[in-house]
Amino acid sequence: MTFNELGLVKPIVRAITAEGYETPTPIQAKALPIVIDGRDVLGCAQTGTGKTGAFAMPILNRLAKTTPKPSTKGQRKRGPRRGSGRHPRALVLCPTRELATQIEDSFKTYGRHLPLDYTTIYGGVSQHWQVRALNAGVDVVVATPGRLLDLISQGFVNLTFIEVVVLDEADRMLDMGFIHDIRKIVKKLPKDRQTLLFSATMPREIRTLSESLLRDPEFIQVDPVASTCDAIQQSVYMVRKNKKPALLNRLIKEGDMGRTLVFTRTKHGADRLVKSLRKANIESAAIHGNKTQNARTRALDAFKKGHIPILIATDIASRGIDVDDITHVFNYDLPNVAETYVHRIGRTARAGATGVAVSFCDHDEMKTLRDIEKLIDKRLVSMNEPEDSRSESDPDTEKKSRKKSNHSYAKKRVNGRGKSRKATAGPRGQRRSTGKGRPNGRKTAAPKSGRSRRRSSARS
């Protein structure tokens, strides 16, 4: 089956062909006819299988058939459309800023030959340009729930004319606590709408949410839930936490790696790892929630262009990084949730390529490792730690260990020997040292009087 046979309008097919895509992915082949037909869809497919195209292409197809053609060739019709003013006709909700930007890029790519306008709405940046784009008139809005609700409350967004709404990475939005915001947004949508819900996993909460949002949906499942790509070579190193930086340095320096993505559990851990790699003359950048949007955009752009070969990320980016030719994914810290492992390593081996996924497992992470292997129904290949990395460790970690050791020793001195140096009352009520507890057992000499000190000085 080709895109021509799926009923897409010619401008969209022409844009898809220009990108080098000839045949749809399995999720696209199953979803496109149903979505074009106007039915609700509950789609489940692993990350990197083309879910964005599965809803972006039919939405563009629907809008292209109902948007008036511009009066001049090549000129986009701006301003009010169909009497709706600045109001959008399609809404896509997603969990992260990075994912919102990439979804908008997909709409722009597939709809480059259509007289349509798009914008993204997310927090962490000034709302000025977002409001300006809305006032100019848009057809498609890609938004994170929090900022969208904020702009709705300010009167900048009206969802009355929404024809299609998409919840992308719905399970991730539930994990991030967006469920209440989503329900508030849905209440403002017209009842006569088409709803599409796409998720990489299908837990019970997603099923419950779909029952309240979708009308007689078609369930589409391409791959087993939380399955991993066979083209990814997966392995694990059993390594202590303080040895992880040295092991990562060693593997990066000795391995033949292209673009490399490293996942940490915490934001501070990502920043510490960047400093550790920098000390080893390895260029890298971190991307996480504490970074400003401009800093995150710069780091991601530098990673895409190859200026920075290694990107350190927290799980906020595990479903928002769509970069070609990622050869290696490192799980520096194993994720708290086993399903997240699948989304992390899904950043490599995309579009038919192969990839390598390497995990570091400390003794405290053994339970998570067993959960991951049970989920993917596969045992990770156990690798031996290189000798050099066994004898090395992160300088910062060693410094903290020495500081902690010195602190413990000092505390022992205070609570040990120092405690035995008791003071007793002298014959006239003065306190004097008993001398007990001193290393040589000698008593402390009484201070000399002023006259004695002067005589001693004169003799000397």
Side-chain angles (χ1 to χ4, degrees):
M1 182 179 294
T2 63
F3 286 106
N4 275 319
E5 299 172 347
L6 292 174
L8 297 172
V9 296
K10 292 183 179 180
I12 298 177
V13 175
R14 191 162 72 250
I16 295 171
T17 304
E19 290 297 308
Y21 302 131
E22 297 180 357
T23 58
T25 64
I27 184 67
Q28 293 170 358
K30 290 186 176 182
L32 280 170
I34 299 172
V35 179
I36 291 175
D37 194 40
R39 294 189 57 188
D40 289 3
V41 167
L42 175 60
C44 180
Q46 70 182 54
T47 184
T49 55
K51 290 197 299 292
T52 302
F55 63 76
M57 294 176 191
I59 288 176
L60 290 170
N61 194 72
R62 176 173 182 159
L63 299 182
K65 292 182 178 180
T66 56
T67 300
K69 295 182 180 180
S71 57
T72 306
K73 185 177 181 180
Q75 177 183 356
R76 291 188 174 185
K77 185 175 180 63
R78 298 184 178 277
R81 295 193 183 97
R82 302 179 64 197
S84 63
R86 63 177 179 267
H87 312 315
R89 292 185 286 152
L91 173 66
V92 181
L93 297 175
C94 60
T96 66
R97 315 168 195 174
E98 287 75 22
L99 186 55
T101 302
Q102 290 170 14
I103 292 173
E104 183 197 27
D105 290 341
S106 296
F107 272 97
K108 289 180 177 178
T109 299
Y110 304 141
R112 66 177 63 170
H113 303 303
L114 299 174
L116 302 174
D117 294 288
Y118 324 92
T119 192
T120 52
I121 293 176
Y122 48 76
V125 297
S126 171
Q127 70 179 38
H128 171 76
W129 295 105
Q130 298 173 2
V131 172
R132 186 172 177 176
L134 290 168
N135 289 334
V138 295
D139 298 280
V140 180
V141 169
V142 185
T144 55
R147 172 56 67 87
L148 178 62
L149 274 178
D150 187 16
L151 294 186
I152 290 174
S153 65
Q154 296 181 53
F156 293 119
V157 184
N158 189 328
L159 304 180
T160 306
F161 295 87
I162 292 293
E163 301 174 19
V164 186
V165 62
V166 181
L167 275 69
D168 191 24
E169 302 290 0
D171 53 347
R172 182 61 175 162
M173 285 197 284
L174 262 63
D175 293 340
M176 297 176 68
F178 286 139
I179 181 62
H180 299 296
D181 290 343
I182 291 173
R183 294 192 184 280
K184 290 178 182 178
I185 293 170
V186 169
K187 288 181 180 179
K188 300 180 181 299
L189 297 172
K191 294 183 178 180
D192 186 19
R193 69 176 188 274
Q194 183 180 17
T195 305
L196 312 175
L197 191 153
F198 289 88
S199 178
T201 61
M202 200 58 58
R204 183 178 58 186
E205 293 81 2
I206 295 296
R207 293 279 189 177
T208 303
L209 179 64
S210 66
E211 291 173 359
S212 63
L213 300 181
L214 308 180
R215 295 176 301 177
D216 189 25
E218 183 76 20
F219 178 64
I220 301 173
Q221 182 173 341
V222 175
D223 301 293
V225 175
S227 64
T228 57
C229 179
D230 293 334
I232 302 176
Q233 179 185 339
Q234 304 175 58
S235 60
V236 61
Y237 285 88
M238 305 306 300
V239 55
R240 288 187 297 174
K241 184 177 181 180
N242 66 326
K243 303 292 184 181
K244 287 183 178 182
L247 176 58
L248 182 62
N249 293 348
R250 177 81 174 183
L251 295 177
I252 290 175
K253 288 182 177 179
E254 292 187 350
D256 183 16
M257 300 182 185
R259 286 194 179 95
T260 301
L261 190 56
V262 182
F263 283 104
T264 61
R265 185 179 294 116
T266 65
K267 307 167 188 176
H268 299 297
D271 291 333
R272 285 197 301 267
L273 188 54
V274 170
K275 293 180 181 178
S276 175
L277 293 175
R278 198 168 292 164
K279 290 178 181 178
N281 296 321
I282 300 174
E283 192 65 26
S284 64
I287 179 172
H288 53 69
N290 280 358
K291 298 282 186 180
T292 64
Q293 183 57 40
N294 290 334
R296 290 164 65 170
T297 301
R298 285 195 304 269
L300 192 56
D301 287 344
F303 185 60
K304 287 181 178 179
K305 296 176 181 177
H307 299 160
I308 296 176
I310 299 171
L311 186 66
I312 317 296
T314 55
D315 286 320
I316 192 173
S318 63
R319 301 194 198 183
I321 297 178
D322 187 11
V323 181
D324 295 333
D325 303 326
I326 293 180
T327 61
H328 290 70
V329 172
F330 281 91
N331 288 294
Y332 184 83
D333 298 315
L334 290 181
N336 293 324
V337 181
E339 286 82 357
T340 305
Y341 171 85
V342 180
H343 307 306
R344 286 183 175 185
I345 69 173
R347 299 302 100 194
T348 186
R350 301 170 77 91
T354 59
V356 177
V358 181
S359 300
F360 294 169
C361 181
D362 182 61
H363 181 268
D364 296 335
E365 299 172 301
M366 283 298 298
K367 182 180 182 303
T368 303
L369 177 62
R370 290 194 293 267
D371 292 341
I372 291 172
E373 292 179 334
K374 181 179 179 180
L375 178 70
I376 65 177
D377 194 22
K378 180 189 299 184
R379 288 187 63 87
L380 302 185
V381 178
S382 181
M383 305 293 289
N384 293 325
E385 184 182 351
E387 292 293 336
D388 289 354
S389 62
R390 293 181 190 178
S391 60
E392 299 175 4
S393 60
D394 184 26
D396 293 336
T397 306
E398 289 293 332
K399 186 185 295 184
K400 291 179 181 178
S401 299
R402 288 196 299 269
K403 185 176 180 181
K404 184 177 180 180
S405 177
N406 293 338
H407 176 71
S408 300
Y409 178 70
K411 190 174 181 181
K412 183 178 180 182
R413 286 291 300 262
V414 171
N415 295 334
R417 290 180 176 177
K419 223 176 186 181
S420 64
R421 297 179 61 183
K422 298 178 181 178
T424 58
R428 295 184 180 180
Q430 298 178 351
R431 301 180 70 85
R432 61 183 177 83
S433 174
T434 61
K436 294 180 181 180
R438 291 179 60 83
N440 52 12
R442 291 180 297 178
K443 295 182 179 181
T444 304
K448 295 181 180 181
S449 64
R451 181 180 297 179
S452 298
R453 286 197 297 269
R454 287 195 296 273
R455 288 176 181 175
S456 299
S457 176
R459 285 197 297 270
S460 61

